[in-house]
Amino acid sequence: MSSVYKTSRRHFLKLCVGTTGVLALAACAPITPPTAPTAAPAPLPAEKRVFKVWHYEVGYAMGDSWADAMEDFKAMHPDVELVFEEKTFEQIMETARMILSSQEVPDVMEINKGNATAGLYSKEGLLTDLTEVAKERGWDKILSPSVQTTCRYDENGIMGSGKLYGVTTYGEFVMVYYNKDMFKQHGVEVPTSLEEFEAIADKFLAEGITPLTLGAADLWPQTHNWQELLLYKADRELINNFQFLKGEVDFHGPAFSFAAEKFAEHIRKGYYGPNANAVSYVDANSVFFQGKAPMNLTGTWAFGEFMKQIKDFDWGMFLMPGKKLNTGSGGNLWIVPAHAKNKDLAYDFIDLTLAKKAQTVLANAGGIALNADLSQVTDPKVRELNALFATIIENDGLAFYPDWPVPGYLDILGGCLQDLIAGIKSPAEFNDCIAGPYNEYKASL
């Protein structure tokens, strides 16, 4: 507004008040200057739907694959805001039940499979039944029956049958990563029996090298080393009885006794060094990455990380030799919480993670894909990895993971193994330690 206009307006008001009083003032009210016409207010933009995803696979092949699927999801739903939150395995294990019981849940979430986790949550009504959705979208055709074992849970939360409450997008198993250069330097070859495996470990020990690296501080890694020994004496019936809480499980029978005694023997001989209970899983893997340990028994979930980290030596892999069963299963599960707000979007996202594009990304990153275009996979190590998994599947060899049968069993089994490693418990006492909680829960069903 200009200064000329302000002066004229004050003068005009002075004249009106001085000559005609209040009425005249009203009559002499200033004329409001015309204003430019204004456009109609723009409508407020519609509020975006927010789609939330949680998982703990960043840095692994699954994380690479799911990141690719997220980009495809954004292209498919440009009107939706995708919010991803990275979690850790431990965070989900400790808080999943509380989160799923609340209204503040993500729309899709990764959880561990098994009775103690997915089974417990399905029993408590915290997960969406995906059985019909899987048929409509063809997920049941991509997931083989053996892979679906860990996706289905009955009314008691026991895996292997019942409704489909989770969807895995990959397979996994436990194997031995080995340093080919160290094997060659010390004149040893890939073993074909447990006895040969022990002979190799003894040779490295005799030459001043700890043969295996183990991060027992995290509770779960040692459960794999122990179960791999159990599987030298366990058959399919015992494993199914143990996992599905059916039939007899004798914790002082040949299989459990052999595993506890053999693991204690390996500890006593020094296969894992003097302080495995003080080493984390990450640090244990780092020892192998640095070429300081010839062998590392762990899962295929770490394969992609091994491919990225190891640059200075040649490495390979083998199954613990001389047995049919192997620790492994379909991978962890996508679940849709019962309280999820965007279930339709969750189903679209799971579709994308099972599609050939994301599955081929998974395979090329070192994962075990379920629906990849294998003609696009060129790395010989990835091909070798998938060939090992195919061998296990052909032998009906997936023996699952030993912490699954009972809620909270990971802490029990891992803790009792720490006591066995520390020499606090004898093998027989260790078997008592894991038998009590197992039998107590089984009796409660």
Side-chain angles (χ1 to χ4, degrees):
M1 190 176 292
S2 70
S3 58
V4 172
Y5 174 76
K6 284 192 283 188
T7 301
S8 300
R9 185 172 186 268
R10 283 199 300 271
H11 181 66
F12 178 77
L13 287 174
K14 182 178 178 181
L15 288 173
C16 287
V17 170
T19 58
T20 60
V22 174
L23 292 176
L25 177 62
C28 296
I31 299 172
T32 303
T35 56
T38 56
L44 294 174
E47 188 173 346
K48 271 193 169 184
R49 295 172 73 183
V50 177
F51 176 63
K52 299 179 181 178
V53 181
W54 290 7
H55 74 69
Y56 43 86
E57 304 291 356
V58 172
Y60 296 103
M62 292 73 73
D64 292 352
S65 171
W66 297 343
D68 183 82
M70 287 181 199
E71 293 305 312
D72 289 344
F73 181 92
K74 292 174 185 175
M76 177 186 288
H77 293 288
D79 55 336
V80 174
E81 181 182 0
L82 188 153
V83 177
F84 164 60
E85 290 189 28
E86 180 185 358
K87 303 295 180 182
T88 67
F89 175 78
E90 289 77 14
Q91 280 178 313
I92 296 297
M93 287 295 288
E94 292 170 3
T95 64
R97 196 177 182 188
M98 177 185 68
I99 295 294
L100 291 169
S101 299
S102 75
Q103 297 297 321
E104 299 302 319
V105 292
D107 298 298
V108 177
M109 176 176 171
E110 182 191 14
I111 64 170
N112 199 22
K113 64 274 184 188
N115 302 344
T117 48
L120 176 64
Y121 310 147
S122 66
K123 179 182 175 182
E124 294 180 339
L126 301 177
L127 309 184
T128 300
D129 174 9
L130 302 173
T131 308
E132 293 305 315
V133 179
K135 291 178 183 175
E136 293 168 6
R137 296 188 175 238
W139 302 343
D140 59 332
K141 301 294 190 299
I142 296 174
L143 308 177
S144 69
S146 62
V147 170
Q148 286 189 38
T149 298
T150 54
C151 302
R152 294 186 177 279
Y153 297 87
D154 67 14
E155 65 277 10
N156 290 317
I158 306 302
M159 71 176 184
S161 62
K163 297 176 180 177
L164 192 93
Y165 284 103
V167 174
T168 184
T169 68
Y170 62 97
E172 62 181 34
F173 60 94
V174 167
M175 61 184 180
V176 179
Y177 297 85
Y178 74 104
N179 184 320
K180 286 187 175 180
D181 291 352
M182 291 184 77
F183 268 46
K184 184 177 181 180
Q185 181 181 354
H186 293 270
V188 295
E189 298 182 351
V190 172
T192 60
S193 67
L194 178 60
E195 292 73 20
E196 288 185 11
F197 174 83
E198 292 176 322
I200 291 171
D202 292 340
K203 182 173 177 60
F204 278 115
L205 273 176
E207 297 176 11
I209 298 171
T210 300
L212 287 144
T213 180
L214 173 62
D218 285 321
L219 287 178
W220 59 269
Q222 60 268 37
T223 67
H224 301 160
N225 299 72
W226 167 79
Q227 171 153 297
E228 282 295 286
L229 296 171
L230 178 79
L231 297 177
Y232 279 95
K233 299 295 181 181
D235 58 14
R236 171 57 68 191
E237 181 180 9
L238 175 59
I239 290 301
N240 286 355
N241 285 346
F242 175 66
Q243 288 288 342
F244 305 150
L245 299 160
K246 298 173 181 174
E248 182 181 359
V249 177
D250 183 358
F251 284 89
H252 289 281
F256 282 90
S257 295
F258 175 83
E261 291 168 3
K262 183 60 74 175
F263 188 63
E265 176 188 328
H266 289 178
I267 292 292
R268 188 170 58 252
K269 292 171 74 173
Y271 282 12
Y272 302 106
N275 62 342
N277 279 343
V279 179
S280 71
Y281 176 69
V282 171
D283 288 344
N285 284 342
S286 293
V287 170
F288 186 78
F289 297 156
Q290 295 167 24
K292 296 179 179 177
M295 294 185 284
N296 184 5
L297 188 152
T298 187
T300 53
W301 53 85
F303 184 90
E305 185 69 7
F306 279 49
M307 290 181 70
K308 294 176 185 174
Q309 295 288 340
I310 301 174
K311 305 294 183 186
D312 299 328
F313 60 88
D314 194 11
W315 58 280
M317 67 209 86
F318 62 84
L319 301 177
M320 281 294 287
K323 60 182 178 56
K324 179 180 177 181
L325 298 175
N326 205 92
T327 304
S329 71
N332 286 328
L333 304 176
W334 284 132
I335 58 95
V336 179
H339 296 151
K341 296 179 178 65
N342 299 294
K343 293 185 180 181
D344 57 329
L345 298 178
Y347 305 152
D348 285 352
F349 179 69
I350 293 173
D351 262 348
L352 291 170
T353 61
L354 284 172
K356 284 195 179 295
K357 180 171 179 288
Q359 287 282 300
T360 304
V361 171
L362 172 69
N364 278 316
I368 300 175
L370 304 176
N371 190 35
D373 179 358
L374 294 179
S375 69
Q376 301 298 314
V377 178
T378 56
D379 189 293
K381 279 189 169 60
V382 173
R383 288 186 170 181
E384 184 182 0
L385 179 75
N386 281 273
L388 287 175
F389 187 66
T391 299
I392 296 171
I393 294 296
E394 288 170 5
N395 290 334
D396 184 28
L398 290 177
F400 317 120
Y401 292 85
D403 58 293
W404 288 359
V406 173
Y409 210 53
L410 175 59
D411 290 343
I412 295 165
L413 180 58
C416 294
L417 281 167
Q418 283 184 334
D419 288 348
L420 188 62
I421 292 170
I424 297 172
K425 285 185 171 58
S426 68
E429 291 170 333
F430 162 77
N431 286 333
D432 287 336
C433 183
I434 64 172
Y438 178 94
N439 288 327
E440 184 178 342
Y441 180 77
K442 186 178 179 181
S444 72
L445 297 176

